[in-house]
Amino acid sequence: MKKIDEILNGVSCMAIAGHVRPDGDCIGSCLGLYQYLRDNRPEIQADVYLEDPRPEFSYLPGFSEVKTSCEEKEYDLVVLLDVSSEERIGVAAPLLAKAGKTICIDHHVTNTEYCEINHVEPDASSACEVLFGLLEEEKISEPCAEALYTGIVTDSGVFQYSSTSPHTMRVAAALMEKGVPFTRIIEDAFFKKTYVQNQIMGRTIMESIMLLDQRCIVGYVRKKDMDFYGVTPKDMDGIVNQLQNTRGVEVAIFLYEIGVQEYKVSMRSNGKVDVARVASYFGGGGHVKAAGCTMQGSVFDVVNSLTLDIERQLQE
Ligand code: 5GP
Ligand code: MN
């Protein structure tokens, strides 16, 4: 794909949008591009659509201007960031059909290439890393750099996951040169939790179970427990990673109830098991080491279904 500046020629109004339950990479890439436009292409009228963005990212530029519900508008261009498939487009889904042009900028192996232009780099740490490569470095301002740095840090687990490459570090270095307050960003975007977030994590770990010869750990949260602590899905971030931090565990599964007998599933793997394969089988997707899906049934049913393929892969 050409640099974004070339694609923007002739565009007078555009929408930028991310996926359902937007994470740091999704919010960071959307607001990073938004800021880049404000800095360099003020003649373009741009709107950002994100579903209910989390307050911990409120330091990002343009956060208060995010639209959380869709408007009946025809855009010359719609850019989807970090969105691997059409079903995962959040509030902005209705805009696609009416858009002059659609572009997807992503890093998921499971990307279904649903736009006219699909720029997918499956080896990149984050959508923010991919987006950085499409921007003119000298035109990136400090606020824009903060947004991109946020996405890289959150999606790479603070440069820990195997998707972190020397190139990721070079991009991060270039953003650091712009003066981003990296200590504060890492704290705010990744490590800091509210008291109830810590409580629900503690409880989930305490009640977790080990399966498949202690190589698989399962944690789950029921709706009634979520109500008791007053937590919502966005408070569950990081629980699956903490489960995965158990010595000897190959796969961590975390479920939380999103409806009657309906669970959101998050999986993490050390690499031996391809959890994207498991999630794809149940209509979800993601990466080899981090994937998710939504499943129906009781906790028992869901875990049983998931562990069938995990067990098979552990034996391969
Ligand atoms: P998480 O467990 O953090 O929610 O997601 C891990 C990875 O799996 C992310 O890259 C995310 O895009 C992907 N993922 C999670 N849930 C779903 C889902 O329901 N469908 C698809 N296609 N991907 C998902
Ligand atoms: Mn991402």
Side-chain angles (χ1 to χ4, degrees):
M1 186 172 129
K2 296 178 277 199
K3 289 270 183 183
I4 211 98
D5 287 86
E6 285 176 58
I7 289 166
L8 295 175
N9 289 334
V11 170
S12 63
C13 83
M14 67 182 275
I16 300 168
H19 56 74
V20 287
R21 292 182 288 274
D23 55 12
D25 186 32
C26 179
I27 300 173
S29 54
C30 288
L31 291 178
L33 178 56
Y34 184 55
Q35 185 60 33
Y36 186 83
L37 296 172
R38 288 204 295 196
D39 291 332
N40 303 293
R41 304 296 288 261
E43 75 280 10
I44 298 176
Q45 194 269 317
D47 293 320
V48 182
Y49 291 90
L50 287 167
E51 182 187 280
D52 197 18
R54 301 153 198 232
E56 62 259 39
F57 298 114
S58 60
Y59 64 87
L60 291 176
F63 184 87
S64 60
E65 286 145 59
V66 167
K67 294 184 189 298
T68 53
S69 61
C70 198
E71 287 175 8
E72 282 289 311
K73 240 167 134 175
E74 284 180 27
Y75 290 96
D76 298 331
L77 173 66
V78 175
V79 181
L80 282 317
L81 286 144
D82 201 35
V83 188
S84 58
S85 65
E86 212 163 348
E87 310 80 68
R88 300 228 343 127
I89 305 173
V91 283
L95 299 177
L96 248 70
K98 289 179 284 179
K101 193 186 253 183
T102 57
I103 298 180
C104 172
I105 297 170
D106 188 27
H107 69 123
H108 291 93
V109 220
T110 50
N111 188 291
T112 57
E113 312 213 323
Y114 56 93
C115 284
E116 277 158 55
I117 301 177
N118 299 283
H119 184 88
V120 184
E121 294 180 25
D123 293 330
S125 68
S126 51
C128 281
E129 182 181 321
V130 179
L131 177 60
F132 177 89
L134 301 173
L135 306 180
E136 303 284 348
E137 191 177 330
E138 64 282 1
K139 294 187 189 169
I140 297 177
S141 65
E142 191 277 333
C144 172
E146 279 199 32
L148 300 181
Y149 195 85
T150 296
I152 294 175
V153 156
T154 52
D155 249 31
S156 70
V158 193
F159 310 109
Q160 183 200 356
Y161 307 150
S162 57
S163 57
T164 309
S165 68
H167 181 69
T168 311
M169 304 311 270
R170 279 184 208 109
V171 173
L175 298 172
M176 205 181 251
E177 301 274 14
K178 303 279 180 185
V180 299
F182 54 91
T183 307
R184 192 204 25 85
I185 291 178
I186 292 171
E187 233 171 55
D188 280 351
F190 197 80
F191 287 110
K192 277 270 191 289
K193 303 231 168 273
T194 63
Y195 182 56
V196 284
Q197 286 168 348
N198 271 331
Q199 278 188 303
I200 196 84
M201 181 185 286
R203 182 173 161 157
T204 308
I205 293 165
M206 198 164 73
E207 294 178 349
S208 64
I209 46 177
M210 296 283 259
L211 300 171
L212 307 179
D213 230 2
Q214 323 286 306
R215 294 166 83 192
C216 179
I217 189 166
V218 179
Y220 58 93
V221 178
R222 292 215 161 85
K223 184 75 177 59
K224 65 174 169 42
D225 302 317
M226 291 172 68
D227 293 343
F228 177 79
Y229 288 99
V231 292
T232 59
K234 52 180 185 283
D235 295 310
M236 311 291 191
D237 251 30
I239 296 182
V240 70
N241 301 72
Q242 195 53 47
L243 289 166
Q244 179 68 358
N245 279 339
T246 312
R247 247 184 238 291
V249 159
E250 287 290 342
V251 180
I253 302 175
F254 173 60
L255 327 169
Y256 60 86
E257 203 173 1
I258 52 170
V260 181
Q261 299 264 309
E262 186 175 28
Y263 285 87
K264 175 73 197 146
V265 177
S266 276
M267 289 180 282
R268 296 293 182 269
S269 159
N270 286 357
K272 192 168 170 61
V273 171
D274 177 352
V275 286
R277 189 175 108 182
V278 181
S280 299
Y281 186 77
F282 296 103
H287 314 274
V288 172
K289 295 183 176 180
C293 55
T294 297
M295 290 173 72
Q296 319 286 329
S298 65
V299 170
F300 183 82
D301 296 333
V302 169
V303 171
N304 255 342
S305 305
L306 292 168
T307 49
L308 270 179
D309 190 36
I310 293 173
E311 185 171 26
R312 211 174 298 135
Q313 289 197 47
L314 282 171
Q315 285 159 355
E316 270 168 18

